[in-house]
Amino acid sequence: MTLTVQQPHSRPGPHTALRIGVLGSYGGFNIGDESILTCVLACLRAHRPDARLVVFSRDTEHTRTHHGSADEVVAWENVAQRPVLDALSGLDLLVLGGGGILYDSEARRYLRLVRAAQHRGVRTFAYAVGAGPLHEADDREAVRTVLRAMDDVVVRDEESRLVLEEVGLERDVTVTADPALLLSAEPFTTRMMLAEGIPSGRRLVGMSVREPGRAAEKLDEGDYHALLADVADFLVRRLDAHVVFMPMERHDVRHAHAVLSHMSAPDRGRILHGSYSPGQVLGFMRHLDLAVGMRLHFLIFAALSGLPVLPLPYAGKVFDFARRTGAPGLVGVAREQAGLLLAEVDRLWDEFPERRGELRGRVQELCESARETCVRCRTLLDAIDGAAGAAADSHLCARGAVRGGPRKATVSS
């Protein structure tokens, strides 16, 4: 997509509602990303109730249906560029993120739109984004040039800050926490549990599985599924539990079925099949006794629900989250680590009553960090309002000067 440079559009007066754009991996592809959008929109609406919120989505119908607080939804993927650029030109602020969007082959796509907004005089803010891996030259260059020109850059973890530093970004970068930590739970009712075939009155363990990823690039997929099946079977025996696989993305369903097929007790396993909002998925966590998984937002939801959590690391963001919550920090997922993995699950269950208070405190700190992103965004919005007010005052003074200045007062007796 070739972008043309235009002059900055005229800014609103001090009493005109701001137009704020939100750009990320939105459109129903991933529950974690949808939870981030929910929280970003809530932050913006809290600070600017009258703002016009414009979401740039990869699936406009899904976003319109599931995010009623968005005033406009604009398609930006595989569409003509003119409507997208027109939408950008009308903004006062473009919010990038949050979520993990600055990685190879994807970073340049998002940042192309951010650069277009900057060329049109639109202020830009990186909202607790995740970065890495970034090895491709085009993506690294886009990150260096576009983020350098942003009004503020906030990342969600230390790993992302180090990635940006390695890329060569020379500017201040603030580390906070994932926006989804501020998500509110919605009820997951008894009727919904029955519809999923999940037994009541039994211990439940939640599991999140996905493709092996970078933590186990050389691992045969069959071995990987068998390893996770061993963990699931161990939990069935150790806790007399049922295991519920929770797909956080549509591709996770295939891996959940594969793990279930390797279990020696498949009758004690279930896969969530319904379509649920992020708040409902968080609400479902309240029914669980323990969580083991790979997806970052599955782990975030479990921690928010006060569960003992065992992360199965596949990327830096999961290592970082494990470190910040004090969860066991495994170094990877590999077949030869089966014994270590089962020992960690066993220890986690035994020691959790003593660690519950520590986890609660650490999660509280993370939530406060997540709120800091929202505060920084509000500061930028205040600056935009202030600049608009100053421009309006300057315009009024100029009009007065053209008209010959103020008139003299007359006094009558």
Side-chain angles (χ1 to χ4, degrees), residues 16-32:
T16 304
L18 297 178
R19 290 177 60 85
I20 305 171
V22 182
L23 170 65
S25 183
Y26 305 133
F29 297 91
N30 180 286
I31 290 174

Side-chain angles (χ1 to χ4, degrees), residues 248-314:
M248 301 294 285
E249 193 172 281
R250 64 190 65 173
H251 301 299
D252 295 353
V253 175
R254 178 178 72 85
H255 292 281
H257 277 290
V259 173
L260 189 61
S261 71
H262 281 79
M263 287 179 62
S264 61
D267 58 307
R268 302 289 287 271
R270 295 287 187 277
I271 301 172
L272 285 186
H273 289 291
S275 177
Y276 303 109
S277 71
Q280 288 171 327
V281 175
L282 177 56
F284 175 76
M285 289 283 187
R286 308 295 167 89
H287 295 278
L288 301 179
D289 297 282
L290 183 141
V292 179
M294 299 183 75
R295 290 281 184 192
L296 174 64
H297 288 93
F298 168 87
L299 301 171
I300 288 175
F301 289 2
L304 287 172
S305 303
L307 295 174
V309 182
L310 179 67
L312 301 177
Y314 73 95

Side-chain angles (χ1 to χ4, degrees), residues 110-266:
Y110 291 104
L111 295 179
R112 191 176 295 127
L113 295 186
V114 178
R115 183 187 288 115
Q118 291 170 342
H119 286 169
R120 286 156 173 76
V122 177
R123 310 288 286 271
T124 52
F125 179 83
Y127 199 111
V129 296
L134 281 169
H135 303 301
E136 297 183 15
D138 289 347
D139 294 291
R140 292 168 68 89
E141 176 62 20
V143 166
R144 281 193 298 269
T145 57
V146 178
L147 267 63
R148 186 185 301 126
M150 297 187 80
D151 291 86
D152 197 4
V153 174
V154 181
V155 296
R156 67 181 176 184
D157 50 51
E158 185 65 23
E159 175 80 11
S160 295
R161 188 192 68 78
L162 293 174
V163 168
L164 297 182
E165 182 180 281
E166 190 277 329
V167 165
L169 177 64
E170 296 180 351
R171 64 159 299 153
D172 291 336
V173 173
T174 301
V175 179
T176 58
D178 195 283
L181 284 153
L182 302 180
L183 186 69
S184 297
E186 299 171 21
F188 199 98
T189 65
T190 301
R191 178 175 294 182
M192 295 161 74
M193 296 284 283
L194 288 173
E196 291 285 358
I198 299 173
S200 60
R202 304 297 298 268
R203 281 182 178 158
L204 299 176
V205 175
M207 284 194 74
S208 163
V209 299
R210 52 161 289 163
E211 71 274 11
R214 289 179 297 150
E217 290 175 338
K218 298 180 181 179
L219 185 65
D220 176 78
E221 196 168 88
D223 283 347
Y224 162 72
H225 292 148
L227 168 64
L228 297 182
D230 287 346
V231 175
D233 283 327
F234 174 79
L235 290 167
V236 168
R237 296 190 304 271
R238 173 72 168 82
L239 306 181
D240 189 23
H242 282 69
V243 177
V244 183
F245 295 90
M246 300 176 60
M248 301 294 285
E249 193 172 281
R250 64 190 65 173
H251 301 299
D252 295 353
V253 175
R254 178 178 72 85
H255 292 281
H257 277 290
V259 173
L260 189 61
S261 71
H262 281 79
M263 287 179 62
S264 61

